Amino acid sequence: MQNYYRDEAGRLRWRTADDGGLPPSSSAIVSPYDTTARYVRHGHIISWKGFAPHVTDTCASDSVNVITDVATTSAATNDAQALPGIHTRLARRGLLPAEHLVDGGYTSLVHLERAEREHQVTVSGPLPGNPTRQHHRNEGFDRFDFHIDFAR
């Protein structure tokens, strides 16, 4: 799977990015020294091979910042998928925050709702952009066209 693929006729062919495609990053071996290391790319700039660290720390203005959790996942794992495990470990140790400030990689509506429902944690961070065809072509409606009138 790493180096070959079968074409339409069932013949074995060498893999390249142009013809047979490369194996999915979740299964591609990227290091002969650690076969569990994976390749990942975030956007057009950030890419690496290996693992993704997830560090949680306190940020109260009236106290010292303390690292409360460190987790390592496959680089091919979506950051938001790591969030439930982080909350479970923090809860087990009695370190669960009321509000968890995260970057855009950890926010998805599913994980925001799950954190609130399972752990009573409010996750705050930027929501992902709108990837729909209508948004890119400036056609139809997207979430920015709807506003909540909180006063009413």
Side-chain angles (χ1 to χ4, degrees):
M1 179 178 177
Q2 300 299 312
N3 299 310
Y4 299 95
Y5 73 100
R6 293 203 180 270
D7 66 11
E8 296 81 25
R11 294 178 299 233
L12 207 55
R13 300 286 185 193
W14 184 257
R15 282 188 181 274
T16 68
D18 297 330
D19 54 18
L22 299 175
S25 63
S26 60
S27 59
I29 296 173
V30 298
S31 169
Y33 306 105
D34 188 345
T35 58
T36 61
R38 296 294 179 252
Y39 171 81
V40 70
R41 167 178 274 149
H42 287 287
H44 300 291
I45 299 171
I46 303 170
S47 65
W48 70 92
K49 297 173 184 175
F51 300 90
H54 307 275
V55 179
T56 305
D57 62 353
T58 61
C59 61
S61 60
D62 59 344
S63 69
V64 177
N65 289 6
V66 177
I67 293 175
T68 58
D69 188 65
V70 177
T72 304
T73 62
S74 163
T77 302
N78 181 302
D79 288 343
Q81 293 171 324
L83 201 55
I86 293 169
H87 288 156
T88 299
R89 284 189 305 280
L90 290 171
R92 216 178 295 134
R93 296 190 339 259
L95 297 172
L96 206 56
E99 183 177 21
H100 196 163
L101 307 176
V102 297
D103 68 28
Y106 293 90
T107 56
S108 77
L109 294 178
V110 170
H111 292 98
L112 297 179
E113 185 276 331
R114 183 176 177 185
E116 183 67 42
R117 179 173 36 85
E118 292 181 3
H119 296 288
Q120 294 73 50
V121 173
T122 301
V123 176
S124 298
L127 289 174
N130 189 340
T132 63
R133 177 178 45 85
Q134 291 90 346
H135 177 73
H136 290 293
R137 291 183 178 176
N138 203 19
E139 299 173 346
F141 296 101
D142 65 19
R143 68 177 182 214
F144 301 111
D145 292 319
F146 298 93
H147 303 280
I148 299 173
D149 185 352
F150 288 102
R152 292 183 61 192

